[in-house]
Amino acid sequence: MRNYGLIGHPLSHSFSMAYFNNKFKNEELDCFFINFDIEKLESIRDIIAQYPDLQGFTITHPYKKEIFNYLSFVDENARQIGAVNVVKVDADKKLHGYNTDYIGFKGLLKEAITGKDIKKAYVCGTGGASEAVKFVLRQENIAFEVLSRKNDSYQDLKKHGFHDNELIINATPVGMFPKSEDLLDLPYATANATNVFIDLIYNPEETMFMREAKKYGAKAYNGLKMLTLQAEAAWKIWDKR
């Protein structure tokens, strides 16, 4: 049996294990997917030793950047992005890093902004997921501003509010299960029907971020499509002979 898994902390919100194990069952594949909830990434060495049939794993918050220290090979796209969310374990137990988040986000973005004349994007967050988002926005020639709690960018946005044809992306864990009532401090009341809000969170299905955006007429999307697309891209990497 080939084993795969998800590494991160915490993992109570994740649908990845259910997604992949359902896929393996439906496609009659002799594989199993395990969640590895670890508080320190250095525990990855113990996991690889304990699971000799581990063929690969996905990486989620907060280790998408830290994982670079453990990799023997990094795909060029992942290197440019500066974050890895997929690792393949080779026959010598060496780790190869890739990024499929950008593939997932690209598909989600296309669905969200088709027919819209987006002038600018705001990216909330500075973690690994936001790096994939920025990579795609650059590819699509969409100007963007990164909002971070480390500076006054959130406060600056609150002063002038949103304008027409702007895209707002939540690439933070704020509002994720089990803290589903948490909400980014944004000027939602200035949004309108020309704005698009994308939350990379998929659990809960409708976040407070999405709910507030819809209240003022904006379109809002969760990250489930991104999860599905990046997971299928990850499987292609793992299953490649």
Side-chain angles (χ1 to χ4, degrees), residues 71-239:
L71 302 176
S72 298
F73 166 84
V74 181
D75 173 74
E76 183 56 31
N77 284 330
R79 191 181 301 280
Q80 289 184 32
I81 291 167
V84 160
N85 74 299
V86 175
V87 172
K88 184 170 184 175
V89 183
D90 72 13
D92 297 321
K93 303 304 178 185
K94 292 182 179 179
L95 307 183
H96 299 230
Y98 302 85
N99 191 296
T100 63
D101 276 338
Y102 84 94
I103 296 172
F105 181 71
K106 196 165 191 172
L108 173 57
L109 180 66
K110 182 178 180 180
E111 176 183 325
I113 69 172
T114 294
K116 295 280 188 178
D117 184 24
I118 297 299
K119 303 294 187 186
K120 179 180 179 180
Y122 291 98
V123 182
C124 304
T126 57
S130 72
E131 299 299 340
V133 167
K134 292 186 291 182
F135 182 76
V136 173
L137 293 176
R138 291 189 189 101
Q139 287 185 327
E140 300 298 319
N141 294 313
I142 298 175
F144 63 85
E145 178 180 343
V146 177
L147 303 181
S148 170
R149 291 176 177 173
K150 297 177 182 178
N151 54 40
D152 293 328
S153 51
Y154 279 103
Q155 294 304 317
D156 291 342
L157 176 60
K158 286 174 67 177
K159 289 177 184 176
H160 63 70
F162 298 118
H163 298 101
D164 289 352
N165 301 302
E166 289 185 332
L167 169 66
I168 303 89
I169 303 153
N170 178 27
T172 80
V174 176
M176 182 187 295
F177 177 86
K179 298 182 179 180
S180 306
E181 297 305 310
D182 289 355
L183 179 66
L184 286 173
D185 188 14
L186 299 174
Y188 300 96
T190 64
N192 60 52
T194 70
N195 298 132
V196 177
F197 284 65
I198 297 177
D199 200 332
L200 303 193
I201 293 170
Y202 54 83
N203 184 13
E205 184 176 342
E206 183 180 67
T207 61
M208 290 293 291
F209 174 85
M210 295 171 62
R211 200 173 303 166
E212 286 298 306
K214 290 178 179 179
K215 188 186 298 184
Y216 298 100
K219 291 286 187 182
Y221 299 80
N222 67 21
L224 190 57
K225 184 181 183 75
M226 178 176 171
L227 168 72
T228 302
L229 292 173
Q230 70 84 14
E232 289 302 320
W235 177 246
K236 287 180 181 179
I237 292 170
W238 291 333
D239 198 43

Side-chain angles (χ1 to χ4, degrees), residues 45-64:
R45 303 186 197 280
D46 297 328
I47 291 170
I48 292 170
Q50 186 178 351
Y51 292 86
D53 294 324
L54 186 66
Q55 307 290 300
F57 50 87
T58 51
I59 295 278
T60 190
H61 179 82
Y63 302 129
K64 292 183 180 184

Side-chain angles (χ1 to χ4, degrees), residues 2-21 24 32-41 43-44 47-48 51 54-64 67 84-89 100-101 176 202-203 227 230-231 234 238:
R2 291 180 286 164
N3 289 323
Y4 300 91
L6 170 66
I7 288 177
H9 180 74
L11 296 181
S12 59
H13 67 282
S14 179
F15 291 165
S16 292
M17 185 167 69
Y19 178 86
F20 275 108
N21 282 331
F24 297 153
F32 192 72
F33 196 92
I34 308 162
N35 275 353
F36 299 107
D37 192 328
I38 56 176
E39 294 187 6
K40 293 183 178 180
L41 189 54
S43 300
I44 196 172
I47 291 170
I48 292 170
Y51 292 86
L54 186 66
Q55 307 290 300
F57 50 87
T58 51
I59 295 278
T60 190
H61 179 82
Y63 302 129
K64 292 183 180 184
I67 188 63
V84 160
N85 74 299
V86 175
V87 172
K88 184 170 184 175
V89 183
T100 63
D101 276 338
M176 182 187 295
Y202 54 83
N203 184 13
L227 168 72
Q230 70 84 14
W238 291 333

